[in-house]
Amino acid sequence: MYDMIIRGGTVIDGTGAAGYAADVAIKDGLIVKVGTVSGAAREEIDAGGAIVTPGFIDVHTHYDGQFLWDDRLDPSFSHGVTTAIGGNCGVGFAPVLPEHKQALIELMEGVEEIPGIVLDEGLDWDWKTFPDYLDRLAAREYTMDVACHIAHAPLRVFVMGDRAINHEAATADDVAQMATLVREAMDAGAVGFSGARLLEHLSSTGAHVPGTFADDDELLGMAKAMGETGKGTFQIIPLGGVGASLFDEAGREARLAEHDRIVKIAEISGRPLTYSLVQFNSDEEDWKMMIDESERAVANGLPIAPQVGARSVGALTTLDGNHIFMLRPSYVAVADLPLTERLVALRDPARRAAILGEKSDPAVVAANPQLGSFIEMLTGRIGGIFPMSLPLDYEPGPEDRLEVLAKAAGVPMEAYLYDHYTKGDGTNVCASHMLNFIGGGLDGSYNMMSREITASGLADGGAHMKMICDASMPTFMLSFWARDRTRGPTLPLEHVVKKLSLKNAELYGMHDRGQIAPGKRADINVINFEKLSLHMPHISHDLPKGSPRMLQGSTGYLATLVAGVVTRRNDAETGARPGRLVRSKLALAA
């Protein structure tokens, strides 16, 4: 007798091959038969009219802290993710000495916008080494499997102390010590090493992240150490930026030099490498140059995968999250009131007029310089803000811009935006689309995703909690790119599913999952593709200390299975927690 049979669905197996009608039989957490299945099972799922896909593998999350206080792992859990990989972008929490805990909190607070109070309350710091940290994760149970890179910044601080924070060059002895710890982490089950060279990544104190300016000897030393273990993937954010200065002639040369560095890392490690890639407003063709360079490297035998996002990189703003009025004195005076009481205060004509006539309080900005810069940037881009409504449209047209709507209403843009935020129950959301949104559309994302070489990532689950909810990316990719897009070409459903499953499984050497095939883990989604949709993002105060974060639900997941156990049924969780820590193993190699 089988444990489960999923009957009558259209199997999209993750390989990119055309879908086909089949049953899927499961026993002992594995897929044992795909085709016409006779016989009985302890449980059956009627998948008639639905698609059956592998569970989705999110290779780019920042749940490093959340892994230790949350077993559900939303927002990812609501969008078919069955494996989540943390420790990205060179930031994390292990290894660590007691005197450096605050510095690591400040790094995660600044780079990934995870409130320091959440980390301070949610972490008990009952570990020192990276293997200790993995053991803590291994003792817990989740809705999905979890895995983690060892990150450059905490490793560098652990070895070099204040010299790392002050960006001093690593000595040969420093590099040797870090290399030893990388090998130790890989032997303990780290799925790779992560680093970042992005100048915009700053701690909450305004300092650059340790490792941002690391020289090649240091980076290549880490790559060599990881490669010596015969496993792991090197993840990096290369030098880049949003300013036009990067993309003058010298800037182009710098990006090409950065790709040369990527090639060196892949060569010396002998392992897969993935790097973040977006379409910059200041150079629409930079992405193409980088992918072309990567394709040449792949043709020469190097496993390099540019990691791209499926939609714009930007910000969601709402009254209970971030918005352009939040640092103005007359708003600050009522900011701590519960939302319902705050709405009453904000609808008072006198307070409305005061807020609309003010600028951000310089003292508040001085105390929160990064937030102040963000608010200033949003204010300068106010005309390009898009009020959101259902059904959600992540590729709105120019007629949906705030400046057009305000002009049609005959009111100033700030007044229109203020009234939009304070309408109804005060939960209205606006979107600001920045990168990957050249010319007011997502053709850049389409072109990047179309390339076979690219991996799907950059969802940032667990990070930028009040600003984005890109962990909903799987649902968006399926519904928008394979079904709903109207302003340009779509992508085949099979192509999208492969990007979400087998491509990422292979990138991280997880050859036991990512495909609907006998012998693979029964990590599976059963999806009503016709009804699959995203809910409106909303703020929830469910983090430690009641801190806020943006969540986004979905409709259309008839079932999500992890190792054959149903964790989600008809868009609601079952309470099952079959997910465990995944440790890298040579046995997972193809």
Side-chain angles (χ1 to χ4, degrees), residues 197-200 237-242 246-247 255 258 280:
R197 292 166 48 78
L198 188 63
L199 300 180
E200 284 81 6
I237 304 181
L239 174 69
V242 298
L246 179 65
F247 299 105
R255 285 285 276 179
E258 196 70 0
F280 294 110

Side-chain angles (χ1 to χ4, degrees), residues 53-59 72-73 76-85 142-147 474 500-501 505 510 513-515 521-526 557 559-568 578-582:
T53 76
F56 305 139
I57 300 170
D58 190 339
V59 299
R72 177 169 169 155
L73 300 179
S76 296
F77 173 60
S78 296
H79 300 282
V81 174
T82 55
T83 304
I85 300 177
Y142 304 95
T143 57
M144 64 190 70
D145 279 359
V146 304
L500 288 166
S501 54
M510 296 181 178
R513 65 194 69 199
Q515 183 179 352
R521 272 176 55 103
D523 293 351
I524 296 172
N525 284 309
V526 182
Y557 288 90
T560 296
L561 289 73
V562 172
V565 177
V566 179
T567 59
R568 194 170 185 83
R580 301 292 186 271
L581 174 70
V582 178

Side-chain angles (χ1 to χ4, degrees), residues 23 49 59 67 91 118 156 161 183 211 228 246 254-255 361 386 418 434 457 546 563 571:
D23 305 324
V59 299
F67 283 153
V91 291
V118 170
R156 196 174 207 264
R183 285 189 289 269
E228 287 170 349
L246 179 65
R255 285 285 276 179
D361 186 332
F386 293 88
Y418 186 99
M434 299 170 192
D571 301 315

Side-chain angles (χ1 to χ4, degrees), residues 173-509:
D173 184 58
D174 293 331
V175 174
Q177 289 185 56
M178 284 188 271
T180 295
L181 294 174
V182 168
R183 285 189 289 269
E184 177 186 78
M186 298 306 303
D187 289 341
V191 294
F193 174 91
S194 77
R197 292 166 48 78
L198 188 63
L199 300 180
E200 284 81 6
H201 270 181
L202 303 173
S203 79
S204 59
T205 65
H208 286 97
V209 175
T212 301
F213 307 105
D215 59 28
D216 283 3
D217 286 345
E218 182 175 343
L219 287 174
L220 295 177
M222 302 306 100
K224 183 174 184 292
M226 188 188 76
E228 287 170 349
T229 69
K231 54 189 177 180
T233 298
F234 199 108
Q235 183 269 331
I236 192 167
I237 304 181
L239 174 69
V242 298
S245 61
L246 179 65
F247 299 105
D248 55 17
E249 185 176 347
R252 279 293 185 96
E253 291 301 316
R255 285 285 276 179
L256 288 171
E258 196 70 0
H259 198 279
D260 289 342
R261 183 174 289 107
I262 287 169
V263 168
K264 289 178 185 176
I265 291 170
E267 287 176 337
I268 199 166
S269 71
R271 301 297 305 161
L273 180 148
T274 182
Y275 68 90
S276 302
L277 185 64
V278 297
Q279 186 185 38
F280 294 110
N281 297 343
S282 45
D283 190 330
E284 298 181 22
E285 297 302 315
D286 169 78
W287 70 267
K288 186 176 185 301
M289 176 186 75
M290 295 293 279
I291 288 181
D292 288 346
E293 291 294 313
S294 293
E295 287 182 338
R296 278 189 277 273
V298 169
N300 289 327
L302 295 179
I304 294 175
Q307 189 177 136
V308 303
R311 63 190 186 203
S312 73
V313 178
L316 299 179
T317 58
T318 185
L319 198 59
D320 223 12
N322 294 326
H323 53 85
I324 70 170
F325 309 109
M326 64 187 300
L327 301 185
R328 300 184 183 187
S330 296
Y331 183 88
V332 172
V334 298
D336 293 333
L337 293 176
L339 180 58
T340 53
E341 296 177 31
R342 202 179 334 141
L343 278 174
V344 173
L346 294 174
R347 287 168 180 163
D348 176 71
R351 186 173 299 277
R352 177 182 181 275
I355 292 173
L356 290 175
E358 293 171 347
K359 302 292 184 184
S360 292
D361 186 332
V364 179
V365 171
N368 302 274
Q370 286 181 284
L371 179 58
S373 296
F374 175 68
I375 297 304
E376 182 181 8
M377 180 271 294
L378 278 182
T379 304
R381 299 171 57 95
I382 186 172
I385 289 176
F386 293 88
M388 300 181 75
S389 60
L390 293 173
L392 294 173
D393 184 357
Y394 283 87
E395 194 177 29
E399 68 278 7
D400 299 313
R401 289 167 57 92
L402 181 67
E403 62 180 346
V404 176
L405 298 174
K407 183 177 181 180
V411 298
M413 288 188 288
E414 285 199 1
Y416 188 98
L417 184 60
Y418 186 99
D419 293 340
H420 177 73
Y421 284 140
T422 57
K423 281 180 184 176
D425 61 1
T427 60
N428 285 340
V429 181
C430 293
S432 293
H433 302 289
M434 299 170 192
L435 308 180
N436 289 359
F437 203 71
I438 305 300
L442 293 175
D443 286 342
S445 289
Y446 171 83
N447 290 328
M448 288 187 281
M449 289 180 60
S450 297
R451 304 285 277 265
E452 190 64 29
I453 190 177
T454 59
S456 170
L458 310 186
D460 271 351
H464 309 292
M465 293 181 168
K466 288 174 63 178
M467 188 172 74
I468 64 170
C469 194
D470 286 348
S472 65
M473 203 76 78
T475 303
F476 169 79
M477 288 175 64
L478 290 168
S479 59
F480 179 82
W481 287 113
R483 191 191 65 198
D484 292 341
R485 191 185 190 208
T486 60
R487 297 183 184 272
T490 57
L491 291 166
L493 175 61
E494 293 82 0
H495 178 87
V496 174
V497 170
K498 181 179 180 179
K499 291 285 187 186
L500 288 166
S501 54
L502 187 59
K503 177 72 176 182
N504 286 347
E506 291 176 338
L507 178 61
Y508 277 84

